[in-house]
Amino acid sequence: MEYDADRAIAILHQALAVCRGVLYSARTGDATQGEIERLLESTSGYALTALMGADTYTQVLKLAEDLSPEDRDALLAISDDPY
């Protein structure tokens, strides 16, 4: 199994940046339904597998499953406080 960690990190970093951009647009009401749909499509498991390769995507999923509960909590923390 060939695992290209640097490429996977770059792809995931770029996907995160694109997601943040659309979320900023959504927050201001500037995001279109088409942009949101394209974002969902481009960050799907199918699309990421096509970019990374199946072996690398499987390894990335395994690494994500191995995150500590504390790391997951930090990433998924949602505050009820308004902006």
Side-chain angles (χ1 to χ4, degrees):
M1 172 172 59
E2 185 177 322
Y3 171 52
D4 187 348
D6 291 340
R7 180 171 166 76
I9 290 168
I11 289 167
L12 293 172
H13 176 65
Q14 189 61 43
L16 180 60
V18 170
C19 288
R20 288 183 54 81
V22 172
L23 285 171
Y24 281 123
S25 292
R27 183 169 63 182
T28 63
D30 294 331
T32 67
Q33 187 66 34
E35 288 172 324
I36 293 168
E37 293 302 323
R38 285 192 303 276
L39 173 65
L40 290 170
E41 186 177 317
S42 70
T43 57
S44 69
Y46 176 79
L48 293 174
T49 298
L51 284 167
M52 293 182 198
D55 290 341
T56 299
Y57 185 66
T58 299
Q59 182 65 25
V60 165
L61 290 178
K62 173 73 172 107
L63 291 170
E65 290 171 1
D66 291 343
L67 283 174
S68 71
E70 294 80 16
D71 287 339
R72 288 183 188 183
D73 289 347
L75 288 169
L76 298 174
I78 298 174
S79 173
D80 291 334
D81 297 332
Y83 287 108

PDB file of all heavy atoms in Angstrom, residues 31-58:
ATOM      1  N   ALA A  31     -23.368  32.963  -0.017  1.00  0.00           N
ATOM      2  CA  ALA A  31     -23.172  31.649  -0.631  1.00  0.00           C
ATOM      3  C   ALA A  31     -24.419  31.263  -1.418  1.00  0.00           C
ATOM      4  O   ALA A  31     -25.543  31.430  -0.946  1.00  0.00           O
ATOM      5  CB  ALA A  31     -22.880  30.594   0.422  1.00  0.00           C
ATOM      6  N   THR A  32     -24.209  30.754  -2.603  1.00  0.00           N
ATOM      7  CA  THR A  32     -25.335  30.286  -3.406  1.00  0.00           C
ATOM      8  C   THR A  32     -25.559  28.800  -3.136  1.00  0.00           C
ATOM      9  O   THR A  32     -24.670  28.100  -2.645  1.00  0.00           O
ATOM     10  CB  THR A  32     -25.071  30.480  -4.899  1.00  0.00           C
ATOM     11  OG1 THR A  32     -23.995  29.608  -5.298  1.00  0.00           O
ATOM     12  CG2 THR A  32     -24.733  31.928  -5.226  1.00  0.00           C
ATOM     13  N   GLN A  33     -26.736  28.336  -3.459  1.00  0.00           N
ATOM     14  CA  GLN A  33     -27.030  26.912  -3.310  1.00  0.00           C
ATOM     15  C   GLN A  33     -26.077  26.092  -4.170  1.00  0.00           C
ATOM     16  O   GLN A  33     -25.603  25.042  -3.748  1.00  0.00           O
ATOM     17  CB  GLN A  33     -28.486  26.632  -3.706  1.00  0.00           C
ATOM     18  CG  GLN A  33     -28.916  25.208  -3.418  1.00  0.00           C
ATOM     19  CD  GLN A  33     -28.940  24.887  -1.932  1.00  0.00           C
ATOM     20  OE1 GLN A  33     -29.254  25.740  -1.112  1.00  0.00           O
ATOM     21  NE2 GLN A  33     -28.598  23.666  -1.584  1.00  0.00           N
ATOM     22  N   GLY A  34     -25.742  26.593  -5.356  1.00  0.00           N
ATOM     23  CA  GLY A  34     -24.809  25.891  -6.227  1.00  0.00           C
ATOM     24  C   GLY A  34     -23.437  25.747  -5.611  1.00  0.00           C
ATOM     25  O   GLY A  34     -22.799  24.696  -5.724  1.00  0.00           O
ATOM     26  N   GLU A  35     -22.946  26.813  -4.955  1.00  0.00           N
ATOM     27  CA  GLU A  35     -21.639  26.738  -4.291  1.00  0.00           C
ATOM     28  C   GLU A  35     -21.656  25.705  -3.171  1.00  0.00           C
ATOM     29  O   GLU A  35     -20.701  24.932  -3.013  1.00  0.00           O
ATOM     30  CB  GLU A  35     -21.258  28.108  -3.715  1.00  0.00           C
ATOM     31  CG  GLU A  35     -20.883  29.121  -4.757  1.00  0.00           C
ATOM     32  CD  GLU A  35     -20.703  30.511  -4.174  1.00  0.00           C
ATOM     33  OE1 GLU A  35     -21.435  30.896  -3.233  1.00  0.00           O
ATOM     34  OE2 GLU A  35     -19.821  31.214  -4.682  1.00  0.00           O
ATOM     35  N   ILE A  36     -22.725  25.686  -2.425  1.00  0.00           N
ATOM     36  CA  ILE A  36     -22.842  24.725  -1.330  1.00  0.00           C
ATOM     37  C   ILE A  36     -22.888  23.303  -1.878  1.00  0.00           C
ATOM     38  O   ILE A  36     -22.212  22.406  -1.359  1.00  0.00           O
ATOM     39  CB  ILE A  36     -24.066  25.048  -0.451  1.00  0.00           C
ATOM     40  CG1 ILE A  36     -23.839  26.377   0.264  1.00  0.00           C
ATOM     41  CG2 ILE A  36     -24.353  23.923   0.536  1.00  0.00           C
ATOM     42  CD1 ILE A  36     -25.070  26.956   0.929  1.00  0.00           C
ATOM     43  N   GLU A  37     -23.654  23.079  -2.924  1.00  0.00           N
ATOM     44  CA  GLU A  37     -23.741  21.745  -3.520  1.00  0.00           C
ATOM     45  C   GLU A  37     -22.394  21.302  -4.086  1.00  0.00           C
ATOM     46  O   GLU A  37     -21.995  20.148  -3.923  1.00  0.00           O
ATOM     47  CB  GLU A  37     -24.818  21.702  -4.608  1.00  0.00           C
ATOM     48  CG  GLU A  37     -26.235  21.882  -4.095  1.00  0.00           C
ATOM     49  CD  GLU A  37     -26.635  20.835  -3.068  1.00  0.00           C
ATOM     50  OE1 GLU A  37     -26.234  19.652  -3.193  1.00  0.00           O
ATOM     51  OE2 GLU A  37     -27.347  21.203  -2.118  1.00  0.00           O
ATOM     52  N   ARG A  38     -21.664  22.214  -4.745  1.00  0.00           N
ATOM     53  CA  ARG A  38     -20.342  21.877  -5.285  1.00  0.00           C
ATOM     54  C   ARG A  38     -19.369  21.555  -4.158  1.00  0.00           C
ATOM     55  O   ARG A  38     -18.545  20.649  -4.273  1.00  0.00           O
ATOM     56  CB  ARG A  38     -19.811  22.995  -6.168  1.00  0.00           C
ATOM     57  CG  ARG A  38     -20.498  23.053  -7.530  1.00  0.00           C
ATOM     58  CD  ARG A  38     -19.784  23.977  -8.504  1.00  0.00           C
ATOM     59  NE  ARG A  38     -19.631  25.341  -8.013  1.00  0.00           N
ATOM     60  CZ  ARG A  38     -20.555  26.300  -8.110  1.00  0.00           C
ATOM     61  NH1 ARG A  38     -21.722  26.039  -8.690  1.00  0.00           N
ATOM     62  NH2 ARG A  38     -20.331  27.519  -7.655  1.00  0.00           N
ATOM     63  N   LEU A  39     -19.462  22.293  -3.062  1.00  0.00           N
ATOM     64  CA  LEU A  39     -18.600  22.029  -1.915  1.00  0.00           C
ATOM     65  C   LEU A  39     -18.877  20.637  -1.344  1.00  0.00           C
ATOM     66  O   LEU A  39     -17.949  19.874  -1.064  1.00  0.00           O
ATOM     67  CB  LEU A  39     -18.816  23.084  -0.835  1.00  0.00           C
ATOM     68  CG  LEU A  39     -18.091  22.838   0.478  1.00  0.00           C
ATOM     69  CD1 LEU A  39     -16.593  22.901   0.277  1.00  0.00           C
ATOM     70  CD2 LEU A  39     -18.532  23.833   1.513  1.00  0.00           C
ATOM     71  N   LEU A  40     -20.145  20.310  -1.173  1.00  0.00           N
ATOM     72  CA  LEU A  40     -20.497  18.992  -0.665  1.00  0.00           C
ATOM     73  C   LEU A  40     -19.993  17.889  -1.593  1.00  0.00           C
ATOM     74  O   LEU A  40     -19.462  16.871  -1.138  1.00  0.00           O
ATOM     75  CB  LEU A  40     -22.012  18.881  -0.476  1.00  0.00           C
ATOM     76  CG  LEU A  40     -22.588  19.704   0.674  1.00  0.00           C
ATOM     77  CD1 LEU A  40     -24.105  19.714   0.609  1.00  0.00           C
ATOM     78  CD2 LEU A  40     -22.087  19.174   2.001  1.00  0.00           C
ATOM     79  N   GLU A  41     -20.125  18.100  -2.886  1.00  0.00           N
ATOM     80  CA  GLU A  41     -19.662  17.111  -3.854  1.00  0.00           C
ATOM     81  C   GLU A  41     -18.143  16.988  -3.852  1.00  0.00           C
ATOM     82  O   GLU A  41     -17.587  15.887  -3.878  1.00  0.00           O
ATOM     83  CB  GLU A  41     -20.154  17.474  -5.254  1.00  0.00           C
ATOM     84  CG  GLU A  41     -19.829  16.430  -6.292  1.00  0.00           C
ATOM     85  CD  GLU A  41     -20.399  16.797  -7.644  1.00  0.00           C
ATOM     86  OE1 GLU A  41     -21.551  17.251  -7.705  1.00  0.00           O
ATOM     87  OE2 GLU A  41     -19.678  16.628  -8.636  1.00  0.00           O
ATOM     88  N   SER A  42     -17.456  18.125  -3.796  1.00  0.00           N
ATOM     89  CA  SER A  42     -15.998  18.103  -3.908  1.00  0.00           C
ATOM     90  C   SER A  42     -15.308  17.584  -2.655  1.00  0.00           C
ATOM     91  O   SER A  42     -14.136  17.220  -2.705  1.00  0.00           O
ATOM     92  CB  SER A  42     -15.466  19.492  -4.248  1.00  0.00           C
ATOM     93  OG  SER A  42     -15.623  20.372  -3.154  1.00  0.00           O
ATOM     94  N   THR A  43     -15.998  17.533  -1.532  1.00  0.00           N
ATOM     95  CA  THR A  43     -15.401  17.018  -0.303  1.00  0.00           C
ATOM     96  C   THR A  43     -15.988  15.666   0.100  1.00  0.00           C
ATOM     97  O   THR A  43     -15.757  15.199   1.220  1.00  0.00           O
ATOM     98  CB  THR A  43     -15.567  18.027   0.851  1.00  0.00           C
ATOM     99  OG1 THR A  43     -16.952  18.320   1.031  1.00  0.00           O
ATOM    100  CG2 THR A  43     -14.804  19.316   0.576  1.00  0.00           C
ATOM    101  N   SER A  44     -16.701  15.035  -0.810  1.00  0.00           N
ATOM    102  CA  SER A  44     -17.265  13.717  -0.526  1.00  0.00           C
ATOM    103  C   SER A  44     -16.154  12.667  -0.490  1.00  0.00           C
ATOM    104  O   SER A  44     -15.043  12.883  -0.986  1.00  0.00           O
ATOM    105  CB  SER A  44     -18.277  13.336  -1.605  1.00  0.00           C
ATOM    106  OG  SER A  44     -17.604  13.087  -2.833  1.00  0.00           O
ATOM    107  N   GLY A  45     -16.450  11.549   0.103  1.00  0.00           N
ATOM    108  CA  GLY A  45     -15.485  10.447   0.116  1.00  0.00           C
ATOM    109  C   GLY A  45     -15.083  10.031  -1.284  1.00  0.00           C
ATOM    110  O   GLY A  45     -13.918   9.725  -1.544  1.00  0.00           O
ATOM    111  N   TYR A  46     -16.029  10.040  -2.195  1.00  0.00           N
ATOM    112  CA  TYR A  46     -15.740   9.669  -3.583  1.00  0.00           C
ATOM    113  C   TYR A  46     -14.725  10.629  -4.202  1.00  0.00           C
ATOM    114  O   TYR A  46     -13.747  10.211  -4.818  1.00  0.00           O
ATOM    115  CB  TYR A  46     -17.036   9.659  -4.397  1.00  0.00           C
ATOM    116  CG  TYR A  46     -16.816   9.389  -5.857  1.00  0.00           C
ATOM    117  CD1 TYR A  46     -16.592   8.088  -6.316  1.00  0.00           C
ATOM    118  CD2 TYR A  46     -16.828  10.425  -6.790  1.00  0.00           C
ATOM    119  CE1 TYR A  46     -16.370   7.836  -7.654  1.00  0.00           C
ATOM    120  CE2 TYR A  46     -16.601  10.173  -8.130  1.00  0.00           C
ATOM    121  CZ  TYR A  46     -16.382   8.882  -8.564  1.00  0.00           C
ATOM    122  OH  TYR A  46     -16.157   8.629  -9.891  1.00  0.00           O
ATOM    123  N   ALA A  47     -14.947  11.934  -4.024  1.00  0.00           N
ATOM    124  CA  ALA A  47     -14.051  12.925  -4.609  1.00  0.00           C
ATOM    125  C   ALA A  47     -12.671  12.871  -3.961  1.00  0.00           C
ATOM    126  O   ALA A  47     -11.643  12.960  -4.648  1.00  0.00           O
ATOM    127  CB  ALA A  47     -14.648  14.325  -4.473  1.00  0.00           C
ATOM    128  N   LEU A  48     -12.622  12.729  -2.638  1.00  0.00           N
ATOM    129  CA  LEU A  48     -11.333  12.653  -1.960  1.00  0.00           C
ATOM    130  C   LEU A  48     -10.588  11.375  -2.333  1.00  0.00           C
ATOM    131  O   LEU A  48      -9.366  11.389  -2.485  1.00  0.00           O
ATOM    132  CB  LEU A  48     -11.520  12.766  -0.448  1.00  0.00           C
ATOM    133  CG  LEU A  48     -12.018  14.131   0.040  1.00  0.00           C
ATOM    134  CD1 LEU A  48     -12.302  14.097   1.538  1.00  0.00           C
ATOM    135  CD2 LEU A  48     -11.040  15.241  -0.309  1.00  0.00           C
ATOM    136  N   THR A  49     -11.296  10.282  -2.514  1.00  0.00           N
ATOM    137  CA  THR A  49     -10.661   9.044  -2.968  1.00  0.00           C
ATOM    138  C   THR A  49     -10.070   9.226  -4.362  1.00  0.00           C
ATOM    139  O   THR A  49      -8.964   8.765  -4.638  1.00  0.00           O
ATOM    140  CB  THR A  49     -11.669   7.881  -2.969  1.00  0.00           C
ATOM    141  OG1 THR A  49     -12.128   7.669  -1.642  1.00  0.00           O
ATOM    142  CG2 THR A  49     -11.047   6.600  -3.493  1.00  0.00           C
ATOM    143  N   ALA A  50     -10.794   9.927  -5.222  1.00  0.00           N
ATOM    144  CA  ALA A  50     -10.289  10.172  -6.576  1.00  0.00           C
ATOM    145  C   ALA A  50      -9.015  11.010  -6.549  1.00  0.00           C
ATOM    146  O   ALA A  50      -8.108  10.804  -7.359  1.00  0.00           O
ATOM    147  CB  ALA A  50     -11.361  10.854  -7.423  1.00  0.00           C
ATOM    148  N   LEU A  51      -8.929  11.960  -5.622  1.00  0.00           N
ATOM    149  CA  LEU A  51      -7.741  12.805  -5.514  1.00  0.00           C
ATOM    150  C   LEU A  51      -6.568  12.099  -4.842  1.00  0.00           C
ATOM    151  O   LEU A  51      -5.423  12.247  -5.264  1.00  0.00           O
ATOM    152  CB  LEU A  51      -8.070  14.072  -4.721  1.00  0.00           C
ATOM    153  CG  LEU A  51      -8.866  15.135  -5.449  1.00  0.00           C
ATOM    154  CD1 LEU A  51      -9.375  16.172  -4.468  1.00  0.00           C
ATOM    155  CD2 LEU A  51      -8.006  15.781  -6.521  1.00  0.00           C
ATOM    156  N   MET A  52      -6.847  11.350  -3.790  1.00  0.00           N
ATOM    157  CA  MET A  52      -5.785  10.738  -2.986  1.00  0.00           C
ATOM    158  C   MET A  52      -5.424   9.325  -3.404  1.00  0.00           C
ATOM    159  O   MET A  52      -4.330   8.865  -3.123  1.00  0.00           O
ATOM    160  CB  MET A  52      -6.216  10.660  -1.513  1.00  0.00           C
ATOM    161  CG  MET A  52      -6.355  11.936  -0.823  1.00  0.00           C
ATOM    162  SD  MET A  52      -6.810  11.569   0.899  1.00  0.00           S
ATOM    163  CE  MET A  52      -7.443  13.149   1.352  1.00  0.00           C
ATOM    164  N   GLY A  53      -6.379   8.643  -3.973  1.00  0.00           N
ATOM    165  CA  GLY A  53      -6.225   7.215  -4.203  1.00  0.00           C
ATOM    166  C   GLY A  53      -6.885   6.463  -3.058  1.00  0.00           C
ATOM    167  O   GLY A  53      -6.943   6.955  -1.920  1.00  0.00           O
ATOM    168  N   ALA A  54      -7.374   5.288  -3.359  1.00  0.00           N
ATOM    169  CA  ALA A  54      -8.149   4.520  -2.377  1.00  0.00           C
ATOM    170  C   ALA A  54      -7.323   4.143  -1.153  1.00  0.00           C
ATOM    171  O   ALA A  54      -7.807   4.230  -0.019  1.00  0.00           O
ATOM    172  CB  ALA A  54      -8.730   3.274  -3.031  1.00  0.00           C
ATOM    173  N   ASP A  55      -6.068   3.701  -1.354  1.00  0.00           N
ATOM    174  CA  ASP A  55      -5.247   3.283  -0.221  1.00  0.00           C
ATOM    175  C   ASP A  55      -4.975   4.444   0.731  1.00  0.00           C
ATOM    176  O   ASP A  55      -5.075   4.305   1.952  1.00  0.00           O
ATOM    177  CB  ASP A  55      -3.923   2.685  -0.698  1.00  0.00           C
ATOM    178  CG  ASP A  55      -4.106   1.338  -1.371  1.00  0.00           C
ATOM    179  OD1 ASP A  55      -5.147   0.696  -1.167  1.00  0.00           O
ATOM    180  OD2 ASP A  55      -3.178   0.925  -2.092  1.00  0.00           O
ATOM    181  N   THR A  56      -4.635   5.596   0.171  1.00  0.00           N
ATOM    182  CA  THR A  56      -4.337   6.756   1.006  1.00  0.00           C
ATOM    183  C   THR A  56      -5.593   7.228   1.726  1.00  0.00           C
ATOM    184  O   THR A  56      -5.555   7.540   2.918  1.00  0.00           O
ATOM    185  CB  THR A  56      -3.727   7.892   0.169  1.00  0.00           C
ATOM    186  OG1 THR A  56      -2.512   7.426  -0.412  1.00  0.00           O
ATOM    187  CG2 THR A  56      -3.447   9.122   1.011  1.00  0.00           C
ATOM    188  N   TYR A  57      -6.726   7.261   1.018  1.00  0.00           N
ATOM    189  CA  TYR A  57      -7.967   7.698   1.663  1.00  0.00           C
ATOM    190  C   TYR A  57      -8.338   6.757   2.811  1.00  0.00           C
ATOM    191  O   TYR A  57      -8.742   7.207   3.884  1.00  0.00           O
ATOM    192  CB  TYR A  57      -9.103   7.790   0.649  1.00  0.00           C
ATOM    193  CG  TYR A  57     -10.373   8.345   1.235  1.00  0.00           C
ATOM    194  CD1 TYR A  57     -10.442   9.664   1.677  1.00  0.00           C
ATOM    195  CD2 TYR A  57     -11.503   7.557   1.383  1.00  0.00           C
ATOM    196  CE1 TYR A  57     -11.593  10.178   2.239  1.00  0.00           C
ATOM    197  CE2 TYR A  57     -12.664   8.063   1.938  1.00  0.00           C
ATOM    198  CZ  TYR A  57     -12.710   9.370   2.365  1.00  0.00           C
ATOM    199  OH  TYR A  57     -13.844   9.884   2.930  1.00  0.00           O
ATOM    200  N   THR A  58      -8.161   5.463   2.616  1.00  0.00           N
ATOM    201  CA  THR A  58      -8.438   4.495   3.677  1.00  0.00           C
ATOM    202  C   THR A  58      -7.528   4.745   4.874  1.00  0.00           C
ATOM    203  O   THR A  58      -7.979   4.692   6.026  1.00  0.00           O
ATOM    204  CB  THR A  58      -8.253   3.059   3.152  1.00  0.00           C
ATOM    205  OG1 THR A  58      -9.179   2.836   2.080  1.00  0.00           O
ATOM    206  CG2 THR A  58      -8.482   2.027   4.236  1.00  0.00           C
TER     207      THR A  58
END
